[in-house]
Amino acid sequence: MGARSVWSTLTGYVIIKVKGPHLEAFLNQATDRGLFLWDVRRPRVDLLVAKTAATGLRALRPIARKQSVRITILKKQGWPFQLRRIWARKALVAGAILCLAAIYTSSTFVWFVAVDGIERVPVAEIKRVAGAMGLDVGAPKSAVQGDEIERQLLLDLPDLAWVSVEVKGTLARIRVAEKVVLDPDSHAPGDVVAARPGVVTEMSTFLGKALVQPGQTVVSGQVLISGVLSTDDPEYQKKVRLKQVPYLRADGLVRARVWYEGYGEAPLETYVEEPTGREEVSYMLRAGPWEWSFGGKRNKFAYDQTTRTPWRLSWHDVSLPLELIKVRKVEVDRKSRTLDPSDAKERAIQAAKAQAKGKLLGGGIILSESVETWEESREGIHLIRSKVLIEADEDIRGFRALRSGEVGRP
Amino acid sequence: MFMGDTQEGGLLHKFISLFELPRDVILDLPKATLLGDVQMVVENHKGLLEYTPARLRIRTSQGEVCVVGAHLRIGSLFREELVVEGRIDSVQFNRRG
């Protein structure tokens, strides 16, 4: 598209038909008046078709009268004419303006709030504090004071080390970095205590004073190695001089024989579910606390297996509070089946063992297991029950800090 | 590209040659530029004498320029410039007088 075409389209031009005699004289007079014509064709002796600027048409009329020719406008081209046609459709213009205004206005609000960098602090808590400072879905962007929100978040949530609030488009992004908190009790003075009751089998003291001997029975919470310092101990004098608590962080190795019990049960009858072939699919739309169900005939199956597949519109880590859930119910026929008693017994024993072993502290060596099983009936259901007693040798150390008094693992 | 020839004013001719002045402007000569056989630009014309799709006669200060061809159309027409487009078979200068 040449420069002339672009200019003509911008300013508007007309395609005219000139009919009559002496068309050459008409053209000469038009050019003498400074008018510009282009794409002039002569389809017939008495007919001329040409293009000229819309503004020059007025000047052509007197020339046409003088030369006794008739000018007819075949077509009007260019933006001025397009705009005039659009302007005639006022409802369309008004609608377009309203639409643009609505889009622009809605872009001045925050519609999404995203939080990044979270590990321990709840996201809801950060959003609550930010919301109290004016940063929430639907808030005007001009009302969001990033610096003040950052300051308030650091004040209200002491676990945060750094906060950044940024609004880009309609998304407000809160980036946080949490503090790395050292356990205050990790170097604190305290005693080694028994985490489990048992009979001490091995004892090694690294720091502190041992209060029990191998072969001795201990109870939970009993002090095994004490961190107390006697007043004539040079370490005591040193700590007092340094204004520290004159107490050691006791340390050592204490292993003991411990016993754990576990219970398990298994029914002698079970149910097997087989699909009948009938199923029903329905949908649920959830928006916040509201739900609407649609689709499906709401068949009532006696027994069914239901699967729900949620689908949520999301962009990066921000999702709309709108969820579409596909609910698929497959009808099943439930049949009872009698189990082999030995199978049921084995399952009960395994369940009891799993429960007993779950109580081990870790690093324990199982020395022996004793198993007991019996039958029972409860509410018409026949069961096989099992009790397992495990004897193990394990490290029973616990640590109780002098300050907190809570027992933890060293 | 060629301009209309002039024999008049030997002194004027020498003056123009000496100072390398544009002859079309000083001597009011038409300047015709031919682009293959599809386009011809005529500057410094004095108007149209005849226009049909087969023939175009243009008035100049020296007489007329006759363009013969087929599907001839006037690409653009302004005060002193005229662009002829189409299939140009021949261009002829007809001197006045």
Side-chain angles (χ1 to χ4, degrees):
Chain A
M1 212 181 185
R4 187 186 70 199
S5 300
V6 172
W7 181 253
S8 306
T9 306
L10 279 172
T11 54
Y13 65 94
V14 290
I15 303 173
I16 55 172
K17 180 176 79 176
V18 185
K19 198 172 177 183
H22 315 302
L23 293 171
E24 288 85 356
F26 169 81
L27 287 173
N28 290 335
Q29 288 214 4
T31 52
D32 284 344
R33 296 262 181 119
L35 296 168
F36 182 61
L37 295 146
W38 70 94
D39 210 8
V40 181
R41 292 162 201 260
R42 191 131 183 207
R44 270 199 338 242
V45 170
D46 63 338
L47 192 64
L48 202 70
V49 177
K51 292 176 183 170
T52 186
T55 49
L57 193 60
R58 195 180 288 180
L60 283 175
R61 299 271 184 216
I63 300 171
R65 268 198 302 276
K66 199 172 169 187
Q67 296 296 326
S68 305
V69 296
R70 198 170 69 197
I71 297 179
T72 313
I73 299 174
L74 292 177
K75 211 171 181 183
K76 295 177 185 174
Q77 301 271 68
W79 285 16
F81 300 111
Q82 294 279 18
L83 288 171
R84 210 174 289 168
R85 278 183 219 123
I86 290 170
W87 192 249
R89 299 177 65 181
K90 292 197 169 32
L92 176 68
V93 172
I97 292 171
L98 274 172
C99 182
L100 287 169
I103 291 171
Y104 176 76
T105 307
S106 66
S107 73
T108 61
F109 290 87
V110 172
W111 295 114
F112 304 95
V113 179
V115 181
D116 297 336
I118 281 296
E119 284 180 26
R120 296 190 313 271
V121 179
V123 170
E125 195 56 26
I126 291 182
K127 285 187 175 179
R128 183 192 63 78
V129 175
M133 293 300 293
L135 175 55
D136 208 346
V137 170
K141 283 180 358 183
S142 55
V144 174
Q145 305 291 330
D147 292 343
E148 305 221 347
I149 296 170
E150 289 168 8
R151 205 174 303 125
Q152 196 62 40
L153 280 166
L154 288 170
L155 282 172
D156 284 3
L157 302 170
D159 284 341
L160 298 179
W162 172 83
V163 175
S164 159
V165 174
E166 190 186 31
V167 178
K168 252 190 185 170
T170 56
L171 169 69
R173 196 174 283 279
I174 304 175
R175 287 197 180 90
V176 303
E178 294 172 345
K179 287 179 184 168
V180 176
V181 179
L182 294 173
D183 182 2
D185 286 342
S186 60
H187 300 290
D191 305 319
V192 172
V193 300
R196 292 278 193 272
V199 177
V200 176
T201 57
E202 188 185 331
M203 183 81 185
S204 297
T205 306
F206 304 146
L207 193 64
K209 185 179 173 187
L211 297 183
V212 295
Q213 303 294 328
Q216 199 169 333
T217 304
V218 296
V219 298
S220 284
Q222 182 174 343
V223 177
L224 306 173
I225 304 172
S226 171
V228 70
L229 286 166
S230 66
T231 50
D232 53 0
D233 193 319
E235 189 64 27
Y236 181 95
Q237 307 294 336
K238 181 181 167 189
K239 281 191 181 287
V240 168
R241 246 192 339 267
L242 293 173
K243 291 190 171 61
Q244 290 173 357
V245 175
Y247 211 93
L248 292 173
R249 183 180 175 84
D251 195 10
L253 178 66
V254 182
R255 292 188 75 90
R257 243 187 3 227
V258 293
W259 288 265
Y260 296 108
E261 268 185 357
Y263 290 92
E265 63 184 34
L268 281 167
E269 274 179 356
T270 188
Y271 292 101
V272 172
E273 290 180 344
E274 288 173 1
T276 61
R278 284 173 67 191
E279 68 171 42
E280 182 184 274
V281 174
S282 62
Y283 296 88
M284 194 188 298
L285 190 66
R286 184 182 289 157
W290 300 286
E291 284 182 1
W292 297 272
S293 296
F294 52 95
K297 294 193 188 104
R298 313 287 169 90
N299 285 320
K300 291 263 183 210
F301 297 139
Y303 300 104
D304 61 68
Q305 289 174 349
T306 304
T307 51
R308 287 163 189 262
T309 311
W311 181 77
R312 194 181 261 235
L313 189 65
S314 66
W315 173 63
H316 291 291
D317 57 347
V318 176
S319 60
L320 284 176
L322 194 67
E323 201 174 28
L324 181 67
I325 304 166
K326 180 180 172 184
V327 181
R328 185 166 173 252
K329 280 190 188 174
V330 177
E331 188 187 32
V332 294
D333 198 15
R334 192 179 276 190
K335 292 179 182 155
S336 70
R337 200 181 73 176
T338 307
L339 296 173
D340 182 7
S342 59
D343 276 346
K345 183 177 168 184
E346 186 57 32
R347 283 200 286 125
I349 291 170
Q350 291 305 321
K353 279 186 183 174
Q355 192 187 75
K357 286 177 183 173
K359 295 177 185 175
L360 285 168
L361 285 171
I365 303 164
I366 295 174
L367 300 174
S368 67
E369 290 177 3
S370 71
V371 177
E372 197 184 320
T373 57
W374 64 97
E375 276 191 38
E376 251 184 47
S377 276
R378 190 175 63 194
E379 295 170 351
I381 302 170
H382 299 291
L383 297 168
I384 289 197
R385 302 198 79 195
S386 172
K387 185 173 93 173
V388 167
L389 185 68
I390 288 178
E391 183 185 343
D393 180 275
E394 63 177 1
D395 180 357
I396 61 163
R397 282 178 302 157
F399 183 80
R400 183 162 58 208
L402 190 66
R403 184 185 63 178
S404 66
E406 290 173 4
V407 178
R409 291 286 277 169
Chain B
M1 183 186 83
F2 50 90
M3 289 181 240
D5 189 20
T6 176
Q7 299 296 329
E8 63 173 290
L11 192 66
L12 181 62
H13 187 76
K14 282 179 186 167
F15 181 80
I16 289 168
S17 294
L18 183 67
F19 291 101
E20 292 181 9
L21 298 171
R23 281 189 289 174
D24 56 335
V25 175
I26 304 291
L27 301 174
D28 196 26
L29 296 175
K31 184 160 119 180
T33 308
L34 206 58
L35 184 68
D37 62 348
V38 294
Q39 190 188 71
M40 179 164 140
V41 181
V42 179
E43 294 170 69
N44 218 11
H45 70 90
K46 302 296 176 194
L48 280 171
L49 289 169
E50 181 189 345
Y51 169 44
T52 66
R55 190 154 89 153
L56 209 116
R57 285 193 300 136
I58 305 157
R59 187 179 12 212
T60 68
S61 59
Q62 294 182 304
E64 66 179 49
V65 173
C66 182
V67 180
V68 174
H71 311 296
L72 295 177
R73 62 183 181 278
I74 299 172
S76 64
L77 177 61
F78 199 47
R79 195 172 269 147
E80 289 191 349
E81 188 181 295
L82 162 71
V83 176
V84 182
E85 290 171 354
R87 196 191 80 203
I88 299 169
D89 291 334
S90 68
V91 178
Q92 192 175 345
F93 273 90
N94 297 323
R95 287 188 182 75
R96 186 179 54 234

